[in-house]
């Protein structure tokens, strides 16, 4: 139930973050009103500076060769899947990881999809999941704008 409420609030926030901008013929964005500026199945998706600000996204830069410690707030629980969002070259991508160890507030993780100087999103992951669904065309017609 908690996940459903978070998803619904994310959808409302996502819609309000993009509200107020006009549609135009020159709008070549991937998502509604320039919130999602680019989508690539391999690299992930890019967000506009306004969407990043509105979603209050925060990330942590990975130092060293790993495994890396990340706060539990970085973990996305979505159905049966457990992922994190990596930020690399402006693209956000949901990736798999392996837990090496964990405490009450942090996890030490490793992943073939992470490297030194990547960023892991530690705040706003619910909004990123919603944006990813919209970017990939997974949002129902009429609910993504």
């Amino acid at each position: 139930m908690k996940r459903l409420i978070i998803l619904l609030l994310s959808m409302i926030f996502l819609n309000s973050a993009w509200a107020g901008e006009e549609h135009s013929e020159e709008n070549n964005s991937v998502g509604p009103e320039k919130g999602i500026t680019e989508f690539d199945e391999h690299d992930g998706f890019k967000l506009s500076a306004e969407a990043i600000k509105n979603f209050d996204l925060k990330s942590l830069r990975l130092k060293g060769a790993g495994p890396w410690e990340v706060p539990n707030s970085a973990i996305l629980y979505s159905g049966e899947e457990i992922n994190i969002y990596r930020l690399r070259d402006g693209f956000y991508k949901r990736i798999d990881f392996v837990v090496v160890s964990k405490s009450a507030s942090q996890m030490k993780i490793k992943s073939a999809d992470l490297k030194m100087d990547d960023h892991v999103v530690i705040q706003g992951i619910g909004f990123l999941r919603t944006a990813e669904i919209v970017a990939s065309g997974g949002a129902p017609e009429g609910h993504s704008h």
Side-chain angles (χ1 to χ4, degrees), residues 59-76:
S59 64
L60 172 70
R61 186 172 71 91
L62 300 178
K63 299 176 185 173
W68 298 278
E69 287 192 9
V70 298
N72 290 342
S73 64
I75 311 305
L76 171 70

Side-chain angles (χ1 to χ4, degrees), residues 46-79:
K46 286 187 175 185
L47 295 174
S48 69
E50 183 177 353
I52 292 168
K53 179 182 172 189
N54 286 340
F55 295 161
D56 196 24
L57 298 178
K58 304 276 188 262
S59 64
L60 172 70
R61 186 172 71 91
L62 300 178
K63 299 176 185 173
W68 298 278
E69 287 192 9
V70 298
N72 290 342
S73 64
I75 311 305
L76 171 70
Y77 299 91
S78 179

Side-chain angles (χ1 to χ4, degrees), residues 117-135:
D117 292 327
D118 280 345
H119 284 75
V120 171
V121 177
I122 61 172
Q123 181 175 308
I125 59 172
F127 300 122
L128 280 179
R129 180 65 180 134
T130 303
E132 178 185 26
I133 290 168
V134 171

